[in-house]
Coordinates of all heavy atoms in Angstrom, one line a residue:
G447 N 3.2 -26.0 4.9 CA 4.3 -25.9 4.0 C 4.0 -26.4 2.6 O 2.9 -26.8 2.3
P448 N 5.0 -26.3 1.6 CA 4.7 -26.7 0.3 C 4.6 -28.2 0.2 O 5.3 -28.9 0.9 CB 5.8 -26.1 -0.5 CG 6.9 -26.0 0.5 CD 6.3 -25.7 1.8
A449 N 3.8 -28.7 -0.8 CA 3.8 -30.2 -1.1 C 5.0 -30.6 -1.7 O 5.5 -31.8 -1.6 CB 2.6 -30.5 -1.9
G450 N 5.7 -29.8 -2.6 CA 6.9 -30.1 -3.2 C 7.7 -28.9 -3.5 O 7.2 -27.8 -3.5
A451 N 9.0 -29.1 -3.4 CA 10.0 -28.0 -3.6 C 10.9 -28.4 -4.8 O 11.5 -29.5 -4.8 CB 10.8 -27.7 -2.3
F452 N 11.2 -27.4 -5.7 CA 12.1 -27.6 -6.8 C 13.2 -26.6 -6.7 O 12.9 -25.4 -6.6 CB 11.3 -27.6 -8.1 CG 10.2 -28.6 -8.2 CD1 9.0 -28.3 -7.7 CD2 10.5 -29.8 -8.8 CE1 8.0 -29.2 -7.8 CE2 9.5 -30.7 -8.9 CZ 8.2 -30.5 -8.4
L453 N 14.4 -27.0 -6.9 CA 15.5 -26.1 -6.7 C 16.5 -26.3 -7.9 O 16.8 -27.4 -8.3 CB 16.4 -26.4 -5.4 CG 17.6 -25.6 -5.3 CD1 17.4 -24.1 -5.2 CD2 18.4 -26.1 -4.0
S454 N 16.9 -25.2 -8.6 CA 17.8 -25.2 -9.6 C 19.0 -24.3 -9.3 O 18.8 -23.1 -9.1 CB 17.2 -24.8 -11.0 OG 18.1 -24.7 -12.0
E455 N 20.2 -25.0 -9.2 CA 21.4 -24.2 -8.9 C 22.0 -23.6 -10.1 O 22.9 -22.8 -10.1 CB 22.4 -25.1 -8.2 CG 21.9 -25.7 -6.9 CD 21.9 -24.6 -5.8 OE1 22.2 -23.5 -6.1 OE2 21.4 -25.0 -4.7
G456 N 21.6 -24.1 -11.3 CA 22.1 -23.6 -12.6 C 21.2 -22.6 -13.3 O 20.2 -22.1 -12.7
P457 N 21.6 -22.2 -14.5 CA 20.8 -21.2 -15.2 C 19.4 -21.8 -15.7 O 18.6 -21.0 -16.2 CB 21.7 -20.8 -16.3 CG 22.5 -22.0 -16.6 CD 22.7 -22.7 -15.3
G458 N 19.2 -23.1 -15.6 CA 17.9 -23.6 -16.1 C 16.8 -23.4 -15.2 O 17.0 -23.0 -14.0
P459 N 15.6 -23.6 -15.6 CA 14.4 -23.4 -14.7 C 14.4 -24.5 -13.7 O 14.7 -25.7 -13.9 CB 13.2 -23.5 -15.7 CG 13.7 -24.4 -16.8 CD 15.2 -24.0 -16.9
A460 N 13.8 -24.2 -12.5 CA 13.6 -25.2 -11.4 C 12.4 -26.1 -11.9 O 12.5 -27.3 -11.6 CB 13.2 -24.5 -10.1
V461 N 11.4 -25.6 -12.5 CA 10.3 -26.4 -13.0 C 10.0 -26.0 -14.4 O 9.9 -24.8 -14.7 CB 9.1 -26.2 -12.1 CG1 7.9 -26.9 -12.7 CG2 9.3 -26.6 -10.6
Q462 N 9.9 -26.9 -15.3 CA 9.5 -26.6 -16.6 C 8.3 -27.5 -17.0 O 8.3 -28.7 -16.9 CB 10.6 -27.0 -17.7 CG 10.2 -26.8 -19.1 CD 11.4 -26.9 -20.1 OE1 12.5 -26.8 -19.6 NE2 11.1 -27.2 -21.3
A463 N 7.2 -26.9 -17.3 CA 5.9 -27.6 -17.6 C 5.7 -27.4 -19.0 O 5.6 -26.4 -19.5 CB 4.8 -27.1 -16.7
T464 N 5.5 -28.6 -19.7 CA 5.2 -28.6 -21.1 C 4.0 -29.5 -21.4 O 3.9 -30.6 -20.9 CB 6.3 -29.1 -22.0 OG1 7.5 -28.3 -21.6 CG2 6.0 -29.0 -23.4
S465 N 3.0 -28.9 -22.1 CA 1.9 -29.7 -22.5 C 1.8 -29.9 -24.0 O 1.8 -28.9 -24.8 CB 0.6 -29.0 -22.0 OG -0.6 -29.7 -22.5
N466 N 1.9 -31.1 -24.5 CA 1.9 -31.4 -25.9 C 0.5 -31.6 -26.5 O 0.3 -31.8 -27.7 CB 2.7 -32.7 -26.2 CG 4.2 -32.5 -25.9 OD1 4.7 -31.4 -26.1 ND2 4.8 -33.5 -25.4
G467 N -0.5 -31.5 -25.6 CA -1.9 -31.7 -26.1 C -2.5 -30.5 -26.6 O -3.6 -30.6 -27.2
G468 N -2.0 -29.3 -26.4 CA -2.6 -28.1 -26.9 C -2.9 -27.2 -25.7 O -2.9 -27.6 -24.6
G469 N -3.4 -26.0 -26.0 CA -3.8 -25.0 -25.0 C -2.5 -24.3 -24.4 O -1.5 -24.1 -25.0
Y470 N -2.7 -24.0 -23.1 CA -1.7 -23.2 -22.4 C -0.8 -24.2 -21.7 O -1.1 -25.3 -21.3 CB -2.4 -22.3 -21.4 CG -3.4 -21.5 -22.0 CD1 -4.7 -21.5 -21.4 CD2 -3.2 -20.6 -23.1 CE1 -5.7 -20.8 -22.0 CE2 -4.2 -19.9 -23.6 CZ -5.5 -20.0 -23.1 OH -6.5 -19.2 -23.6
S471 N 0.5 -23.7 -21.4 CA 1.4 -24.5 -20.7 C 1.1 -24.6 -19.3 O 1.4 -25.6 -18.6 CB 2.8 -23.9 -20.9 OG 2.9 -22.6 -20.3
V472 N 0.4 -23.7 -18.7 CA 0.0 -23.8 -17.3 C -1.3 -24.5 -17.2 O -1.5 -25.3 -16.3 CB -0.1 -22.4 -16.7 CG1 -0.7 -22.4 -15.3 CG2 1.3 -21.7 -16.6
Y473 N -2.2 -24.2 -18.0 CA -3.5 -24.9 -18.0 C -3.8 -25.3 -19.5 O -4.2 -24.5 -20.3 CB -4.6 -24.0 -17.4 CG -5.9 -24.7 -17.2 CD1 -6.2 -25.3 -16.0 CD2 -6.9 -24.8 -18.2 CE1 -7.4 -26.0 -15.8 CE2 -8.1 -25.5 -18.0 CZ -8.3 -26.1 -16.8 OH -9.6 -26.7 -16.6
A474 N -3.7 -26.6 -19.8 CA -3.9 -27.1 -21.2 C -5.3 -27.6 -21.4 O -6.0 -28.1 -20.5 CB -2.9 -28.2 -21.4
Q475 N -5.7 -27.6 -22.6 CA -7.0 -28.1 -23.0 C -7.2 -29.6 -22.8 O -8.2 -30.0 -22.3 CB -7.4 -27.7 -24.4 CG -8.8 -28.1 -24.8 CD -9.1 -27.6 -26.3 OE1 -8.2 -27.1 -26.9 NE2 -10.3 -28.0 -26.7
F476 N -6.1 -30.3 -23.2 CA -6.2 -31.7 -23.1 C -5.3 -32.3 -21.9 O -5.0 -33.4 -21.8 CB -5.7 -32.4 -24.4 CG -6.6 -32.0 -25.6 CD1 -6.1 -31.1 -26.5 CD2 -7.9 -32.5 -25.7 CE1 -6.8 -30.7 -27.5 CE2 -8.6 -32.2 -26.8 CZ -8.1 -31.2 -27.7
G477 N -4.7 -31.4 -21.2 CA -3.9 -31.8 -20.1 C -3.5 -30.5 -19.3 O -3.9 -29.4 -19.7
K478 N -2.8 -30.7 -18.2 CA -2.5 -29.6 -17.3 C -0.9 -29.6 -17.2 O -0.4 -30.6 -16.7 CB -3.1 -29.8 -16.0 CG -4.7 -29.8 -16.0 CD -5.2 -30.1 -14.7 CE -6.8 -30.1 -14.8 NZ -7.3 -31.2 -15.6
G479 N -0.3 -28.5 -17.6 CA 1.1 -28.4 -17.4 C 1.3 -28.3 -15.9 O 2.1 -29.0 -15.3
I480 N 0.7 -27.3 -15.2 CA 0.8 -27.1 -13.8 C -0.6 -26.8 -13.4 O -1.2 -25.8 -13.9 CB 1.9 -26.1 -13.4 CG1 3.3 -26.5 -13.8 CG2 1.7 -25.8 -11.9 CD1 4.2 -25.4 -13.5
L481 N -1.2 -27.6 -12.4 CA -2.4 -27.2 -11.8 C -2.3 -27.2 -10.4 O -1.9 -28.2 -9.7 CB -3.5 -28.2 -12.2 CG -4.9 -28.0 -11.5 CD1 -5.4 -26.7 -12.0 CD2 -5.8 -29.1 -12.0
S482 N -2.4 -26.0 -9.7 CA -2.3 -25.8 -8.3 C -3.6 -25.3 -7.8 O -4.1 -24.3 -8.4 CB -1.1 -24.9 -8.0 OG -1.0 -24.7 -6.6
S483 N -4.0 -25.8 -6.7 CA -5.3 -25.4 -6.1 C -5.1 -25.2 -4.6 O -4.2 -25.8 -4.0 CB -6.4 -26.4 -6.4 OG -6.2 -27.6 -5.7
I484 N -5.9 -24.3 -4.0 CA -5.8 -24.0 -2.6 C -7.2 -24.2 -2.0 O -8.2 -23.7 -2.5 CB -5.4 -22.5 -2.3 CG1 -3.9 -22.4 -2.8 CG2 -5.4 -22.2 -0.8 CD1 -3.4 -20.9 -2.7
A485 N -7.3 -25.1 -1.0 CA -8.6 -25.3 -0.4 C -8.8 -24.5 0.9 O -9.9 -24.4 1.4 CB -8.8 -26.8 -0.1
G486 N -7.7 -24.1 1.5 CA -7.7 -23.3 2.8 C -8.1 -21.9 2.6 O -8.4 -21.4 1.5
D487 N -8.3 -21.2 3.7 CA -8.7 -19.8 3.7 C -7.7 -18.9 4.4 O -8.1 -17.9 5.1 CB -10.1 -19.6 4.4 CG -10.1 -20.2 5.8 OD1 -9.1 -20.8 6.3 OD2 -11.2 -20.2 6.4

Side-chain angles (χ1 to χ4, degrees):
F452 300 88
L453 173 64
S454 174
E455 299 288 357
V461 175
Q462 178 175 340
T464 304
S465 175
N466 295 324
Y470 311 122
S471 62
V472 173
Y473 187 92
Q475 182 179 0
F476 301 104
K478 301 174 178 65
I480 296 178
L481 175 61
S482 176
S483 63
I484 297 176
D487 55 0

